[in-house]
Structures are given as C-alpha cells and as structure tokens.
Amino acid sequence: MASTELAYRPLTPADLAAAQALSLEAGWNQSGDDWRAMIAAGAGLAVSAPEGIVATGLTLPYQLFGWIAMILVTDARRRQGIASEMLRRCMAWCAEHDLIAGLDATEAGRQVYLPLGFKDVYSLSRLVRAGPPPPSRGEAIGEVGVDAALRPMTETDLPGVAAYDRTVFGADRLPVLRYLLRRWPEAAWVAGDPVAGFCLGRGGRTMHQIGSLSARDEASALALLQAALAAVPGPVLIDVADHQSSFRAALDAAGFTRQRGYVRMLLDRSEPLDTPGEVYAIAGPELG
C-alpha cells in the first residue's frame, strides 16, 4: 500500500487495545496497565492505515533526556520505512524540547542507531528464569553476606527513594516509581535510612519483571534482589547492567539464563547521564 495511506498522529488512551495488540504480536511483555501509564506520561505517536493502527512510538520526557521506546510495526507493514520515520519523529520531538535522545537498543537495532549519531553508553542483558529455582540454586543469592537494613517500600518512602533515584538515574521520575510501587508492592523494598538502595518491579503480560534496582553497594543490591525474588510467583525477568559482574553471577547461580542483550545509547553522547556504578537493573527498555 502507498505511504500516502499512512497517517502519523498522537497516540491516545483510545488506542490502548491496538497498542497492546502490537505488543502481543511482537511477543513483548508490556501489559495494558504499562501502555496506559506510558501513554499518559509520554509523547506517543500512532500510525493509522486503512486496516487500523499499524505502528506506535513513544518518548518519555525526563527533564534532561527523552527516552524513546515502543517503536512497534505490525508484521505486514515492516520494511516500508515506518520504524525509521517513527524514530526520526521521536528524535525531532526531543530536539524541539531540548532533550537528549536516549534508548535501549537491541543488538540488531544498535546497527540502525549508530549511523544516526547514537553512541554506546553501556550494555545490558535480559535474564529470564522460567520457573521457581531449585532450592540449592535459590540459596546462592542468600549465601552472600549482607547486612543491609531492608524494609518493604510504602508510599511514605517514595520521596526519599525518588531523591536517591535522582542521583542514580540522572533525572526525577517519581511518577514512574509510584506506578511501579502500586503495580507490584510485594517486590518493592528499600535498603538503609537514609535510602541507600531500592528495588521495584511489575507484573507483565507473560512474566513478572524486577527493576529498577539501584544500590550504593553490591551487598545491598543482592539483599534487595533476594527480597524481591521471594515475591515472584512464577516466571521472572530482569534487565541487568553487564558491568555488575558479581551481581550477574549471582543470578546465573540462581537459575537465570540470558535471553537477549541491549545497549544503552544516547544521541551524540557516550558519557552516561546516570550513575552506572549504582545501577544493577533497569526498569526496562521502555522506561529507561
């Protein structure tokens, strides 16, 4: 079909079912709740065709940077330049709002983004555990000596968690933290007082996801991970920063396997905006 049949327009809450259908077709993990929150918080785009919505894209604004995600194109409309055009429009939106464009690229997508000026910041691995770990493996994380004062996170903890997160993430994202806390409170934990680390998570379409997980030190990160894993009722995934090698090894020992890799990238910048040494797991490629 001709490209003139395509109309680029804002993504609205009325498009929720169509957007979720694209996630389902691609095999992605986002739930309807995730889509609803992202549409409300971000600058979303939809591509309409005679057969309906055939593509989406989204940019979440975070003061200094705009996080580009959810660029999805239905199978029948791929290789028509739609994804590239959607990316260009998201990049233009960031430029118009004086935001640095950022994204988490798949290993294949990275080859597309490099010629556009995106630069590598650091790599990530998506680790998946298909079911509960064998007891001998599940104890591996607990064998690390930790002395972190952990407590379940509540709404009253959010200001302190958000203040700490600003120093790690590089921008304020209180609404995202609040959303994650409400989505899966059993996996939400805080280390230290004042806050020296925290863990959040959410239920997805096919499995639960742990992240963000940030901490001042590895002992706290491992304690937070163990507390969150105790709340997982079934399959779980976590997007781990590859530079946290000991943390990654603990997950390997707990029965996780690598599903795919990502590369955190920024437009025209290789210096991180976050604090990588305290980033153990991200909230997901769609949330930054």
Side-chain angles (χ1 to χ4, degrees):
M1 294 185 181
S3 60
T4 54
E5 295 178 316
L6 302 178
Y8 289 78
R9 61 166 179 80
L11 187 67
T12 73
D15 301 319
L16 179 64
Q20 179 66 358
L22 288 174
S23 287
L24 179 63
E25 180 184 358
W28 289 10
N29 194 46
Q30 291 79 24
S31 68
D33 287 336
D34 291 335
W35 268 110
R36 188 176 294 107
M38 289 187 292
I39 291 171
L45 286 171
V47 181
S48 295
E51 66 269 34
I53 292 176
V54 298
T56 60
L58 189 85
T59 306
L60 291 175
Y62 286 122
Q63 293 98 51
L64 296 176
F65 53 94
W67 204 253
I68 299 172
M70 305 313 295
I71 295 181
L72 284 161
V73 181
T74 191
D75 284 344
R77 285 287 190 165
R78 290 182 182 174
R79 293 173 293 279
Q80 297 178 19
I82 297 173
S84 296
E85 176 61 21
M86 187 70 78
L87 177 61
R88 285 192 291 268
R89 289 174 182 247
C90 290
M91 291 168 63
W93 188 90
C94 290
E96 290 166 8
H97 292 80
D98 295 321
L99 300 173
I100 298 168
L103 50 81
D104 286 324
T106 63
E107 291 161 330
R110 176 176 176 270
Q111 303 307 316
V112 176
Y113 302 134
L114 284 170
L116 297 174
F118 284 89
K119 298 182 183 297
D120 295 348
V121 180
Y122 56 81
S123 63
L124 302 142
S125 289
R126 170 157 292 187
L127 306 182
V128 175
R129 193 185 70 194
S136 61
R137 295 186 126 195
E139 292 168 2
I141 293 174
E143 288 170 1
V144 178
V146 295
D147 188 22
L150 298 189
R151 63 182 184 279
M153 190 187 300
T154 67
E155 292 273 346
T156 59
D157 290 308
L158 280 175
V161 170
Y164 166 67
D165 184 60
R166 280 194 296 274
T167 70
V168 179
F169 184 66
D172 183 272
R173 56 172 174 172
L174 178 59
V176 172
L177 301 177
R178 180 177 287 113
Y179 168 71
L180 293 174
L181 172 60
R182 292 175 177 176
R183 285 278 282 119
W184 193 18
E186 295 83 2
W189 291 83
V190 182
D193 186 13
V195 176
F198 71 91
C199 182
L200 290 161
R202 57 187 156 129
R205 186 181 60 83
T206 60
M207 61 182 65
H208 284 73
Q209 177 161 3
I210 292 175
S212 289
L213 197 166
S214 300
R216 300 276 189 213
D217 56 76
E218 185 177 283
S220 296
L222 288 168
L224 289 162
L225 174 63
Q226 180 176 342
L229 284 175
V232 177
V236 61
L237 67 86
I238 181 169
D239 293 325
V240 176
D242 286 336
H243 52 265
Q244 304 291 6
S245 55
S246 297
F247 184 80
R248 163 71 186 276
L251 283 158
D252 292 339
F256 283 77
T257 58
R258 188 178 190 269
Q259 184 183 76
R260 66 172 65 94
Y262 296 100
V263 180
R264 179 147 291 193
M265 307 183 80
L266 296 171
L267 184 62
D268 298 324
R269 179 187 175 107
S270 58
E271 182 182 353
L273 292 167
D274 56 7
T275 306
E278 297 184 34
V279 175
Y280 286 84
I282 63 169
E286 67 273 47
L287 296 178

